[in-house]
Amino acid sequence: MKWQASTWYKKRQHEETITVELIADAKLLPNQHEDLAKDRVISFDQRNRQLDYRPVVQEFILLKNDTFTADSTFHEGSHDAIEGV
């Protein structure tokens, strides 16, 4: 799976692989531990909004950061206090 973040955000992550959290309906990923999220809307009434629970599952996925380079941990304009010693 390709990491679909914007380039500026990928460059801020200074690792070759990123762990992201995937939260999905339990029906989409069967045979996993289910949690409940209270976000299924029953009523949109502003005075008496009602929500119900729905089963969700959580999974962590490793994705490759295609903007990572070995020297990307040093930033232009950053100050290295030891360099002048």
Side-chain angles (χ1 to χ4, degrees):
M1 180 179 291
K2 186 178 177 191
W3 189 20
Q4 298 178 5
S6 55
T7 304
W8 68 266
Y9 185 78
K10 289 180 188 180
K11 287 181 180 179
R12 286 180 40 190
Q13 311 307 313
H14 305 295
E15 298 182 27
E16 190 171 3
T17 58
I18 296 293
T19 303
V20 296
E21 180 182 19
L22 172 72
I23 299 175
D25 284 333
K27 293 182 233 174
L28 298 174
L29 297 171
N31 303 324
Q32 298 215 14
H33 172 73
E34 294 182 7
D35 290 317
L36 294 174
K38 190 174 184 177
D39 62 358
R40 188 174 63 175
V41 179
I42 295 174
S43 169
F44 285 102
D45 185 345
Q46 291 180 0
R47 294 174 306 256
N48 188 26
R49 182 159 296 150
Q50 295 178 3
L51 301 173
D52 197 10
Y53 292 96
R54 70 180 172 98
V56 295
V57 294
Q58 171 184 332
E59 186 173 315
F60 291 93
I61 300 173
L62 286 174
L63 298 174
K64 185 176 189 243
N65 185 355
D66 57 2
T67 63
F68 176 80
T69 57
D71 61 336
S72 68
T73 57
F74 184 79
H75 304 287
E76 287 185 33
S78 63
H79 176 70
D80 184 0
I82 306 298
E83 181 179 11
V85 177

